[in-house]
Amino acid sequence: MLMLLILLMLLKLLQLCTYTETVAGDEDTHALKGTTVMDQEQRAESVSHCKYADEVICPCPWIITPEFIEEHQIDFVCHGQDICYDENGNDIYQFVKDAGKYRVIGRTEGVSTSDIIRNIVRDYDVYLRRNLKRGYDRKDLNISWTKEQTIKAKEAVSDGFRTGLEIGKGKLNLWKENTDNFITGFLQRFDQAETWENLKQIISPHNSMEEDSSED
């Protein structure tokens, strides 16, 4: 009973908490980390859909300061297990850790910006073909006219090849169906024949008639 009461109290406290997500702006991110797939507005919108996020601050300082924490009344700062250093080699979250306000969150294996970019680079032509089909202009995709025409030519060849395969597959299925019907009919006739002579007559009644006439 006591554990249940404690659990209910914790749930109540969680409801009173505000979970604030911070997203670095494009200027700092591009300068310190590199080009991003999504701009800061898109990143902030994506983070806002996290079920635990009550509010999103974007852009936020690349390095959290005591003033920022005080301004937004932040009780705890959460970050991954990796340590972040400034240009002088100092842990940028050391003052937060010293104040007992630092909490570590685990990294999800297999989910990272580097993996996403790797997949895009690996399947670059696939995404180009898809977006061209959807009506994007080559200028929107930052490709040359020659590259655009090359992709369209490859797509036309692929479409023709797929069409040929479908036609061939249809004819193969028809041939298979006819063969199955022939075999089934033959077995049914064979089952009806009680003797070898009857079987020959069933298979080739014309030859049987000729044999009968020759005997006469």
Side-chain angles (χ1 to χ4, degrees):
M1 186 66 179
L2 178 60
M3 292 298 297
L4 179 59
L5 290 174
I6 294 175
L7 180 60
L8 291 175
M9 290 175 63
L10 289 174
L11 291 174
K12 187 66 176 179
L13 288 174
L14 288 175
Q15 292 175 356
L16 296 175
C17 293
T18 299
Y19 297 91
T20 301
E21 301 283 350
T22 57
V23 177
D26 285 342
E27 184 177 352
D28 287 338
T29 305
H30 293 169
L32 299 172
K33 194 170 183 179
T35 304
T36 57
V37 177
M38 299 186 292
D39 59 34
Q40 64 183 43
E41 286 78 15
Q42 292 171 329
R43 296 198 302 277
E45 179 67 20
S46 177
V47 170
S48 70
H49 290 284
C50 173
K51 66 179 181 179
Y52 299 111
D54 294 314
E55 64 177 354
V56 178
I57 300 174
C58 180
C60 74
W62 186 262
I63 298 179
I64 300 297
T65 62
E67 293 76 19
F68 182 84
I69 291 177
E70 182 179 354
E71 177 186 353
H72 296 281
Q73 300 179 346
I74 296 173
D75 297 306
F76 297 99
V77 175
C78 298
H79 193 268
Q81 297 173 338
D82 50 317
I83 300 177
C84 299
Y85 299 99
D86 61 17
E87 57 186 5
N88 298 317
N90 299 315
D91 185 349
I92 64 174
Y93 292 108
Q94 191 59 55
F95 77 94
V96 184
K97 295 175 181 178
D98 293 340
K101 294 184 175 183
Y102 188 81
R103 297 292 182 270
V104 176
I105 55 176
R107 178 183 294 273
T108 303
E109 290 295 330
V111 179
S112 70
T113 305
S114 298
D115 290 339
I116 295 173
I117 294 175
R118 178 204 62 196
N119 294 339
I120 293 174
V121 173
R122 181 190 62 196
D123 301 324
Y124 175 66
D125 282 349
V126 174
Y127 291 120
L128 282 181
R129 289 198 298 270
R130 184 186 68 175
N131 282 2
L132 286 172
K133 277 186 173 182
R134 293 182 176 180
Y136 282 86
D137 187 81
R138 66 177 181 83
K139 295 180 180 179
D140 297 329
L141 302 173
N142 195 31
I143 60 175
S144 66
W145 180 87
T146 304
K147 180 68 174 178
E148 178 188 27
Q149 298 307 311
T150 301
I151 292 173
K152 289 182 177 180
K154 288 182 178 179
E155 190 66 23
V157 172
S158 298
D159 290 343
F161 182 72
R162 283 193 293 268
T163 302
L165 283 179
E166 290 297 325
I167 294 174
K169 184 179 178 181
K171 290 184 177 180
L172 180 62
N173 289 337
L174 181 61
W175 177 83
K176 183 177 180 299
E177 182 180 346
N178 290 337
T179 303
D180 290 343
N181 291 337
F182 172 78
I183 294 174
T184 301
F186 175 80
L187 292 176
Q188 288 176 347
R189 290 186 175 186
F190 184 82
D191 187 55
Q192 294 171 0
E194 297 178 355
T195 65
W196 174 248
E197 293 299 328
N198 289 341
L199 178 61
K200 288 198 297 181
Q201 185 175 0
I202 291 174
I203 295 175
S204 182
H206 178 70
N207 292 338
S208 299
M209 292 177 62
E210 288 181 350
E211 290 178 3
D212 293 340
S213 61
S214 62
E215 292 177 357
D216 293 342

